[in-house]
Amino acid sequence: MTTLTAQFDVPIGVDSPGTCRRAVLAVLAVWGYQHDDWVADASVVVSELVTNAVQHGAGSVQISLEAYGPHVVFSVADGSSVVPRRREPDGRGGRGLVLVEALTRRWHVEEHEGGKRVRAELRLYPDADGPPPPPGSAREDPLQA
Ligand SMILES: Nc1ncnc2c1ncn2[C@@H]1O[C@H](COP(=O)(O)OP(=O)(O)OP(=O)(O)O)[C@@H](O)[C@H]1O
Ligand SMILES: [Mg+2]
């Protein structure tokens, strides 16, 4: 059984968050995920997590997307094993993970090749069944895998 998946490496630089956001939204659009409000939320989550990987992480950064009906999981891996933690927002930041928590169903961090991967399950796509799944695709929840 399969799900819709995409994975790509992020060129590190000041443009990384914007470049990734455009790439992720393009993939989601190809898969049929185009509802304005849902895409706006997804866009913020992508930007914050990629910005964090570039600013606070280390090594190469890799994006992955998994989709099955209304369930979409966005992941960002980097080479640092430091686990991101929400902190009290102050004048220097601390709002990124607050936003991610507010705009996702859940998120967590897992070990990944000596570094870590932040996995965020986006809000359920508003069309009850999501875009039509490809033939033979699974509707399992990968966060439980
Ligand atoms: N990929 C990461 N690798 C290591 N540490 C991280 C990572 N992402 C976040 N963190 C840690 O978690 C903290 C909270 O992240 P958060 O995005 O909420 O705030 P911020 O990045 O400091 O500020 P802001 O996002 O508001 O500009 C960061 O300050 C950092 O210490
Ligand atoms: Mg941040």
Side-chain angles (χ1 to χ4, degrees):
M1 291 197 290
T2 57
T3 64
L4 294 169
T5 62
Q7 187 167 304
F8 58 93
D9 299 317
V10 176
I12 302 295
V14 290
D15 294 340
S16 301
T19 303
C20 278
R21 188 179 62 247
R22 287 188 289 278
V24 166
L25 296 189
V27 170
L28 290 172
V30 167
W31 289 346
Y33 295 89
Q34 301 192 70
H35 187 283
D36 285 348
D37 291 344
W38 187 90
V39 167
D41 288 355
S43 181
V44 172
V45 172
V46 171
S47 294
E48 293 300 332
L49 292 183
V50 174
T51 299
N52 277 355
V54 172
Q55 283 188 342
H56 306 298
S60 59
V61 175
Q62 196 174 55
I63 300 296
S64 58
L65 275 169
E66 299 155 72
Y68 28 91
H71 300 271
V72 177
V73 179
F74 171 71
S75 306
V76 184
D78 72 63
S80 162
S81 59
V82 175
V83 175
R85 303 230 182 266
R86 274 186 54 178
R87 66 180 182 86
E88 197 60 37
D90 59 24
R92 287 173 297 152
R95 290 169 180 79
L97 293 178
V98 173
L99 279 170
V100 169
E101 191 146 320
L103 297 176
T104 59
R105 298 182 76 203
R106 49 190 166 161
W107 66 280
H108 76 271
V109 183
E110 60 189 22
E111 283 187 32
H112 178 73
E113 297 179 357
K116 70 359 188 116
R117 176 162 55 199
V118 182
R119 287 169 64 79
E121 184 178 353
L122 303 181
R123 282 182 175 157
L124 288 180
Y125 193 69
D127 293 352
D129 296 327
S137 69
R139 285 181 179 267
E140 297 163 359
D141 183 345
L143 287 175
Q144 303 297 326

